[in-house]
Amino acid sequence: MKRKLESRFFQLFTGEGMALALFFLMYIFMLERIAVLEAFLFTPLSLFCFFLLEWILLQGTVYWYLKWKRVSRKKKTALHDSQYGRFAKLKKINLILLCMAAGMWVIQWLFADTGNWWALFLLVFALGEHINYYHIRLSYQTPAEWRDWKRRGWQKSVLARELGANRRWKQND
């Protein structure tokens, strides 16, 4: 069981880390190679939404890395209270940044006609990643996971369950 968990957490943190790195490299590649897209990719809002997406992906990478590290050292999968506290703060920061990005998108939509759809795509992607980590699990990769989703419906994400349990545990002390 430990090896299976260790392998799963390793896959999750390396997968998130690869997505983080590949999205960054693709964005840079598109900026340098495709001049016609520069007006869409390089608006302040598009850059803000892109870095917000990367910021949230980095949080997922760190979370799964910490879980993998705990299991690989033959400890429980639960993180330290201080780490849960940091993730709870990051959740709030993400919500503030997502609201700022949404407000900036409305302003850009009203006053500019370039980059709106690209910025919206990045904003929705960032919002989806935030929901996937901090609220409801949105990603299902294996047939077994899809069957489980069909049977039980939407479930809280692992981090959301752990943050809730940690908050309740701290309140009982």
Side-chain angles (χ1 to χ4, degrees):
M1 182 64 164
K2 177 189 170 288
R3 283 200 189 275
K4 188 175 181 180
L5 266 179
E6 188 176 353
S7 174
R8 181 70 178 144
F9 291 157
F10 183 81
Q11 289 172 351
L12 287 166
F13 105 74
T14 55
E16 295 296 327
M18 288 297 292
L20 178 74
L22 288 175
F23 289 161
F24 184 76
L25 292 173
M26 285 175 31
Y27 207 82
I28 297 301
F29 176 78
M30 287 191 300
L31 283 173
E32 288 184 355
R33 302 280 190 254
I34 306 170
V36 72
L37 291 178
E38 193 168 330
F40 298 103
L41 299 173
F42 206 61
T43 66
L45 180 58
S46 293
L47 285 173
F48 182 77
C49 291
F50 174 73
F51 284 111
L52 179 56
L53 171 62
E54 290 283 283
W55 169 246
I56 295 170
L57 285 170
L58 177 63
Q59 293 168 39
T61 303
V62 169
Y63 173 72
W64 291 118
Y65 171 77
L66 292 171
K67 297 286 281 183
W68 170 75
K69 190 173 159 184
R70 294 276 294 174
V71 169
S72 66
R73 291 186 175 172
K74 299 181 183 186
K75 295 183 180 182
K76 296 179 181 179
T77 63
L79 302 179
H80 297 288
D81 288 342
S82 63
Q83 292 168 323
Y84 286 125
R86 286 185 196 108
F87 280 107
K89 287 177 187 170
L90 288 170
K91 178 181 176 182
K92 291 175 186 174
I93 291 168
N94 290 347
L95 290 172
I96 291 167
L97 293 173
L98 286 163
C99 288
M100 285 175 53
M104 290 168 59
W105 186 83
V106 169
I107 291 168
Q108 181 169 302
W109 183 264
L110 294 173
F111 297 107
D113 60 351
T114 58
N116 292 327
W117 294 109
W118 178 246
L120 181 62
F121 169 76
L122 292 170
L123 176 60
V124 170
F125 196 174
L127 178 63
E129 288 296 332
H130 174 79
I131 290 169
N132 187 50
Y133 295 139
Y134 290 99
H135 301 283
I136 299 169
R137 181 178 178 202
L138 298 177
S139 62
Y140 298 88
Q141 295 145 356
T142 66
E145 289 174 341
W146 279 105
R147 283 191 299 275
D148 187 53
W149 174 78
K150 286 179 185 176
R151 188 172 42 88
R152 298 188 319 161
W154 299 108
Q155 299 293 312
K156 279 188 168 186
S157 68
V158 175
L159 180 55
R161 287 194 308 264
E162 290 180 357
L163 286 173
N166 183 264
R167 186 174 46 249
R168 283 189 300 278
W169 180 79
K170 288 187 87 161
Q171 288 174 351
N172 291 335
D173 275 349

